[in-house]
Amino acid sequence: MRGVFSRGSAKGLAVLAAGVLALSACSGSGGKEAEEDTGGEGPRLEIAMVTHSAPGDTFWDIVQKGAQAAADKDDVEFLYSADPDGGKQAQLVQAAIDKKVDGIIVTLAKPDAMKDVLARAAAANIPVVSINSGQEESAGLGALAHFGQDESIAGEAAGTELGEIGAKKALCVIHEQGNVGLEARCDGARKTFDGDLENLFVQGSNMPDVKSSITAKLQSDKGIDGILTLGAPFAATAVDSVKEAGSEARIGTFDLNKDLIALLKAGDIEFAVDQQPYLQGYEAVEALWLLKRNGNVLGGGRPVLTGPAIVTKDNAAELEEFANRGTR
């Protein structure tokens, strides 16, 4: 089910993704080669997560916290690596295959780059689940399940919100070219936004460049009255750009962190589309653990949705405690 906060109250949150798991039993302790007794459940599992994260993106810190929480509960050794370059990400997946891990969690921001290496994972009988990006491509590339939000649906929700805040001419700031999930967000927003929405590509790994690019665009086109960023750190930078350009553009974004909650409460950011990254990490680890320990497969061949949910100034305080501890 797709859960969305109604504007003005967290009470409008619908039931979110099926499968928020609450198993309390942990696997027994023991080494990879089963040197110790594991309570009849076999050797300790090793699960690798390989994402397209760029350095400094707080979103992925939240994903990792969720994954580590599930790993700690289930006595799983959790291995994390990342590279925003599709080819290098594929190399990291190959390293996990060579290590003979028990399962792989992968993002599919650049699915074409992952096709061959995921075929090699299948040939090695290593189960794969995907998270966050690449929902449409996930099953075709052999993933058993996908955990994330429907990026097109989330984009449509953001486009509606842009209209609600009165924007007529807006920017959709894409911080990683070629990322299918980010492009789907902007395309979705364009479907429901009644005004003009222009994509602005920036170099997300270089925040000064992000700021200068947004600032320059605002200075050159005074008619821009809305900005949609696709990640919390970029929203904070957009706030600085608006001030520097002397613009009155209003800002919405995807994703949360503790700084973003403060900006929502202050009114500097109008709304955030939350996909609950903690759940993506947690459920992915739990899904692989369940598969190995009990033959379960979540989702029934359909994506397990973790969002979207709309957060505004009116309900941001309800999430502040969780954001401050780095889990929202």
Side-chain angles (χ1 to χ4, degrees):
M1 299 180 69
R2 298 184 181 97
V4 181
F5 277 119
S6 62
R7 292 185 64 83
S9 174
K11 294 180 181 178
L13 180 60
V15 177
L16 283 169
V20 179
L21 304 171
L23 284 177
S24 59
C26 295
S27 65
S29 62
K32 175 70 174 173
E33 301 304 324
E35 290 95 341
E36 300 178 16
D37 177 61
T38 58
E41 291 186 335
R44 189 183 193 208
L45 300 181
E46 283 186 346
I47 293 176
M49 176 184 286
V50 184
T51 78
H52 63 281
S53 169
D57 191 339
T58 55
F59 176 91
W60 297 102
D61 296 338
I62 302 173
V63 173
Q64 288 183 71
K65 283 189 176 182
Q68 191 63 60
D72 289 345
K73 179 179 73 68
D74 295 330
D75 192 28
V76 166
E77 183 175 356
F78 175 64
L79 310 171
Y80 182 82
S81 60
D83 200 295
D85 179 88
K88 292 179 180 178
Q89 185 190 7
Q91 291 174 11
L92 293 172
V93 174
Q94 183 61 56
I97 294 170
D98 294 341
K99 188 175 176 59
K100 299 180 180 179
V101 297
D102 296 290
I104 295 174
I105 303 162
V106 67
T107 59
L108 300 172
K110 299 180 176 73
D112 289 345
M114 307 301 292
K115 180 178 180 180
D116 292 341
V117 74
L118 292 187
R120 292 194 288 273
N125 294 316
I126 299 175
V128 173
V129 300
S130 61
I131 62 169
N132 181 256
S133 54
Q135 172 187 310
E136 297 297 326
E137 296 81 8
S138 175
L141 293 179
L144 299 176
H146 179 82
F147 301 91
Q149 68 182 0
D150 184 310
E151 300 291 15
S152 296
I153 297 286
E156 291 174 15
T160 298
E161 293 297 317
L162 280 174
E164 291 285 340
I165 65 175
K168 300 297 182 184
K169 186 175 186 180
L171 298 175
C172 191
V173 183
I174 299 179
H175 56 268
E176 183 183 342
Q177 292 196 46
N179 184 321
V180 295
L182 300 184
E183 292 171 358
R185 291 178 183 181
C186 292
D187 291 343
R190 197 168 286 109
K191 290 179 182 179
T192 56
F193 180 52
D194 289 335
D196 178 38
L197 183 65
E198 176 186 352
N199 289 357
L200 176 66
F201 293 95
V202 298
Q203 185 61 45
S205 59
N206 184 341
M207 203 59 78
D209 178 76
V210 174
K211 181 182 176 183
S212 63
S213 295
I214 298 174
T215 301
K217 188 66 177 178
L218 293 174
Q219 290 173 335
S220 66
D221 189 345
K222 300 297 184 180
I224 295 171
D225 58 4
I227 299 173
L228 178 63
T229 61
L230 306 183
F234 309 103
T237 298
V239 171
D240 293 337
S241 291
V242 165
K243 292 176 180 177
E244 185 172 312
S247 171
E248 295 184 359
R250 304 175 80 177
I251 303 166
T253 190
F254 282 75
D255 304 330
L256 294 175
N257 59 28
K258 66 177 182 179
D259 295 331
L260 202 284
I261 290 288
L263 291 170
L264 283 165
K265 291 177 64 179
D268 293 320
I269 302 291
E270 300 292 333
F271 67 87
V273 181
D274 181 23
Q275 62 178 303
Q276 300 188 108
Y278 186 93
L279 277 184
Q280 294 176 15
Y282 189 98
E283 291 193 356
V285 170
E286 192 79 330
L288 288 170
W289 184 85
L290 283 166
L291 175 68
K292 300 295 287 190
R293 293 299 189 228
N294 202 49
N296 298 118
V297 178
L298 289 175
R302 303 293 296 273
V304 179
L305 301 182
T306 64
I310 303 299
V311 185
T312 70
K313 180 178 181 178
D314 296 319
N315 53 30
E318 298 177 31
L319 301 179
E320 187 170 19
E321 174 188 352
F322 311 118
N324 284 341
R325 72 186 188 200
T327 59
R328 287 297 292 269

